[in-house]
């Protein structure tokens, strides 16, 4: 794999650090008035999800991680494993463990395309799309006269996630949810 120097660091770059693939979350170049310049880098371990900060002297380099981000469609779960299929026409299927899913399991919906990160042909993380449409399966009934600014209530979605929704939302409605923040966006 290629080596990346500190001047090539940018958010989203995947590198090998301490034997694990990591993604750079933030990179800040620091030039103090006295002394050598350095990069303050925030990294996320793709295996464990742990985030930490580390500094690198100017000119240091890291090996690029041999990871692939592939778009895959979620098929089903058998309770132990979650199955995803490549969307490139090969219909190749990958089994993903609960550890690789992380918090994404509450946004899983069949026949939706997710970004699956593979390392050594094993799935190590699953990223949901930014917005997903899910049905409300349980919530308190809405009352006549409830307005959009009138507060919020919890609603359980078809995937099992619980989000705060406006008071006028009723059971059976399909909602658009932002998966990055877990917030209600609009009705679908």
């Amino acid at each position: 794999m290629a080596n990346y120097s500190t001047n090539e660091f940018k958010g989203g770059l995947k590198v090998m650090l301490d034997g694990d693939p990591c993604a750079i979350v933030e990179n800040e170049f620091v030039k103090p008035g006295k002394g050598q310049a350095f990069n303050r880098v925030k990294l996320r371990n793709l295996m464990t999800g742990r985030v930490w900060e580390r500094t690198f002297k100017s000119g240091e380099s890291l090996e690029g991680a041999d990871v692939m981000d592939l778009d895959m469609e979620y098929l089903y779960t058998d309770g132990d494993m979650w199955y995803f299929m490549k969307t490139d026409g090969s219909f190749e299927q990958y089994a993903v463990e609960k550890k690789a899913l992380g918090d994404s399991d509450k946004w899983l919906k069949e026949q939706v395309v997710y970004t699956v990160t593979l390392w050594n042909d094993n799935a190590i993380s699953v990223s949901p799309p930014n917005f997903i449409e899910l049905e409300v399966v349980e919530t308190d009934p809405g009352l006549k006269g409830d307005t959009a600014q009138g507060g919020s209530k919890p609603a359980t979605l078809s995937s099992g996630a619980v989000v705060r929704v406006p008071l006028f939302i009723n059971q059976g409605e399909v909602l658009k949810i932002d998966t990055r923040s877990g917030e209600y966006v609009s009705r679908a």
Side-chain angles (χ1 to χ4, degrees), residues 109 133-137 156-159 171-175:
K109 182 180 176 186
E133 294 179 358
L134 294 167
E135 183 182 348
V136 176
V137 292
T156 305
L157 305 176
S158 57
S159 65
Q171 197 166 317
E173 291 188 58
V174 178
L175 306 179

Side-chain angles (χ1 to χ4, degrees), residues 105-149:
D105 64 341
K106 63 184 177 189
W107 306 121
L108 288 180
K109 182 180 176 186
E110 291 176 1
Q111 299 177 342
V112 172
V113 175
Y114 295 81
T115 303
V116 179
T117 304
L118 299 177
W119 183 55
N120 293 343
D121 221 29
N122 292 323
I124 57 173
S125 73
V126 175
S127 304
N130 291 341
F131 299 100
I132 193 163
E133 294 179 358
L134 294 167
E135 183 182 348
V136 176
V137 292
E138 185 184 335
T139 189
D140 296 331
L143 301 171
K144 189 175 177 113
D146 286 340
T147 63
Q149 287 80 21

